[in-house]
Amino acid sequence: MTDRPLTLMAVHAHPDDEATGTGGVLARYAAEGIRTVLVTCTDGGCGDGPGGVKPGDPGHDPAAVASMRRRELETSCEVLGVSDLETLDYADSGMIGWPSNEAPGSFWQTPVEKGAARLAELMRHYRPDVVVTYDENGFYGHPDHIQAHRITMAALEMTELTPKVYWTTMPHSMLRRFGEAMREFHEDLPQPDAEPERQPEPDPAESAAPAEIGLPDDEVTTWVDTTAFSGQKFDALAAHASQGDNIFFLKMGKERFGDLMGTETFVRVQDPTGAALPEKDLFAGLR
């Protein structure tokens, strides 16, 4: 036994990703006295600028956007009680097919081994008991999410650590509920059985898994109740005010948001504890 605190490390691609998929677990485990470490891989420079100026439009300044989003990220971490924020500050690669995919210095263009080596150093420093990131397709095919998955799995191989490892996912039953809510708000969401749209060329995700979102409910291994922390999760998302046009969930209002976002779901892909599945706690078998 040691005095080292139990530690959760979440590896995300952009500022605001921490709140969308893991805001509930970050807040819950922080409240339970667990050290929560967030690693954000890119600077978010391909996000909207002040006044909603879009990437590629006149007046969009990626450096200024990155600076603004860093401040928003810090506020989000305060809301969620994140113990330690680490930023790798790679240039945001943008969406699939954007010219920024090919930009030198972008996260997508960074060799996996180079990014993984930096992340491995953080893992050795914090020695996480649980690591959370995306699946092979980055949940929905975003180049930076795919790259975050790749460097996380490669970093784990570079260390002697054997944490529990999880990938974020969404059960198809929940995806259908989200689809209904998004149609109500005149938004769009890919459905589990829908044919994926053809991606623009070039397709930087060509070596990734097909862009299907979520999993059948019985393939989801871990269901964590974060209902009591859905308000914090909403506030953390709201902290990323500059990206409000892109964050559908904020349109719901807090009460509806809490109804839909009260459970966060994962696939367990590495477990040294032998904890039984399905499980309700990322730290099952560790305490």
Side-chain angles (χ1 to χ4, degrees), residues 7-18 22 26 36-42 73 77 82 84-90 107 115-116 118-123 126 128 131-134 144 148 151-152 155:
T7 300
L8 165 66
M9 175 179 282
V11 183
H12 282 290
H14 311 98
D16 77 27
D17 290 332
E18 80 289 340
T22 57
L26 287 169
T36 51
V37 180
L38 170 64
V39 180
T40 301
C41 296
T42 79
L73 177 62
C77 287
V82 169
D84 300 272
L85 170 62
E86 299 283 354
T87 55
L88 301 184
D89 287 326
Y90 289 110
F107 190 35
R118 293 182 63 193
L119 182 56
E121 283 303 306
L122 293 175
M123 289 180 174
Y126 288 107
V131 173
V132 176
T133 191
Y134 315 102
D144 287 329
I151 73 162
T152 301

Side-chain angles (χ1 to χ4, degrees), residues 3-8 25-37 80-84 129 229 283 287:
D3 293 330
R4 184 180 66 82
L6 285 171
T7 300
L8 165 66
V25 293
L26 287 169
R28 170 179 163 168
Y29 291 122
E32 293 179 5
I34 288 171
R35 180 167 61 177
T36 51
V37 180
L80 297 173
V82 169
S83 309
D84 300 272
D129 301 280
F229 304 94
F283 288 85
R287 55 179 177 171

Side-chain angles (χ1 to χ4, degrees), residues 36 67 87 109 132 177 179 215 267 281:
T36 51
S67 177
T87 55
Q109 291 299 317
V132 176
R177 291 179 63 205
L215 288 172
V267 174
D281 180 8

Side-chain angles (χ1 to χ4, degrees), residues 130-153:
V130 172
V131 173
V132 176
T133 191
Y134 315 102
D135 62 18
E136 303 100 319
N137 192 53
F139 183 64
Y140 70 101
H142 192 296
D144 287 329
H145 289 230
I146 294 168
Q147 191 77 330
H149 162 85
R150 290 175 177 172
I151 73 162
T152 301
M153 302 312 291

Side-chain angles (χ1 to χ4, degrees), residues 14-16 44-50 52-55 60 65-66 68-69 72 92 237-248 250-251:
H14 311 98
D16 77 27
C46 286
D48 290 357
V53 177
K54 303 296 181 184
H60 186 275
V65 171
M68 173 179 63
R69 297 195 72 184
E72 292 175 340
D92 191 340
L237 276 169
H240 297 280
S242 68
Q243 309 307 304
D245 285 351
N246 305 318
I247 303 176
F248 156 72
L250 295 176
K251 300 177 183 179

Side-chain angles (χ1 to χ4, degrees), residues 23-26 28 224-231 233 261-264:
V25 293
L26 287 169
R28 170 179 163 168
V224 183
D225 182 2
T226 60
T227 305
F229 304 94
S230 59
K233 181 171 179 172
M261 304 291 281
T263 301
E264 292 184 348

Side-chain angles (χ1 to χ4, degrees), residues 40-284:
T40 301
C41 296
T42 79
D43 60 11
C46 286
D48 290 357
V53 177
K54 303 296 181 184
D57 287 350
H60 186 275
D61 180 351
V65 171
S67 177
M68 173 179 63
R69 297 195 72 184
R70 172 58 186 257
R71 294 192 295 273
E72 292 175 340
L73 177 62
E74 291 170 350
T75 300
S76 172
C77 287
E78 290 176 9
V79 170
L80 297 173
V82 169
S83 309
D84 300 272
L85 170 62
E86 299 283 354
T87 55
L88 301 184
D89 287 326
Y90 289 110
D92 191 340
S93 309
M95 299 296 287
I96 286 177
W98 288 13
S100 49
N101 295 168
E102 309 301 322
S106 70
F107 190 35
W108 183 251
Q109 291 299 317
T110 299
V112 169
E113 306 77 37
K114 182 177 179 181
R118 293 182 63 193
L119 182 56
E121 283 303 306
L122 293 175
M123 289 180 174
R124 293 186 188 104
H125 174 72
Y126 288 107
R127 304 187 69 81
D129 301 280
V130 172
V131 173
V132 176
T133 191
Y134 315 102
D135 62 18
E136 303 100 319
N137 192 53
F139 183 64
Y140 70 101
H142 192 296
D144 287 329
H145 289 230
I146 294 168
Q147 191 77 330
H149 162 85
R150 290 175 177 172
I151 73 162
T152 301
M153 302 312 291
L156 287 164
E157 291 183 3
M158 292 178 178
T159 73
E160 77 288 358
L161 304 174
T162 57
K164 297 181 79 176
V165 180
Y166 294 88
W167 298 342
T168 58
T169 193
M170 185 179 291
H172 284 172
S173 61
M174 187 181 295
L175 189 64
R176 285 189 287 272
R177 291 179 63 205
F178 280 137
E180 292 166 3
M182 293 183 82
R183 283 189 291 275
E184 179 183 335
F185 287 90
H186 306 291
E187 299 286 339
D188 228 356
L189 182 70
Q191 295 301 307
D193 299 324
E195 288 293 320
E197 294 183 4
R198 182 174 297 278
Q199 301 291 355
E201 297 294 339
D203 179 0
E206 61 187 36
S207 60
E212 180 175 327
I213 294 180
L215 288 172
D217 287 34
D218 60 2
E219 294 181 23
V220 176
T221 65
T222 309
W223 306 66
V224 183
D225 182 2
T226 60
T227 305
F229 304 94
S230 59
Q232 281 175 259
K233 181 171 179 172
F234 185 93
D235 290 342
L237 276 169
H240 297 280
S242 68
Q243 309 307 304
D245 285 351
N246 305 318
I247 303 176
F248 156 72
F249 303 110
L250 295 176
K251 300 177 183 179
M252 296 181 179
K254 237 177 199 180
E255 183 175 352
R256 183 75 176 279
F257 178 87
D259 290 341
L260 283 173
M261 304 291 281
T263 301
E264 292 184 348
T265 50
F266 307 86
V267 174
R268 192 176 79 190
V269 295
Q270 178 175 300
D271 172 41
T273 72
L277 293 177
E279 60 185 0
K280 299 180 180 180
D281 180 8
L282 297 179
F283 288 85

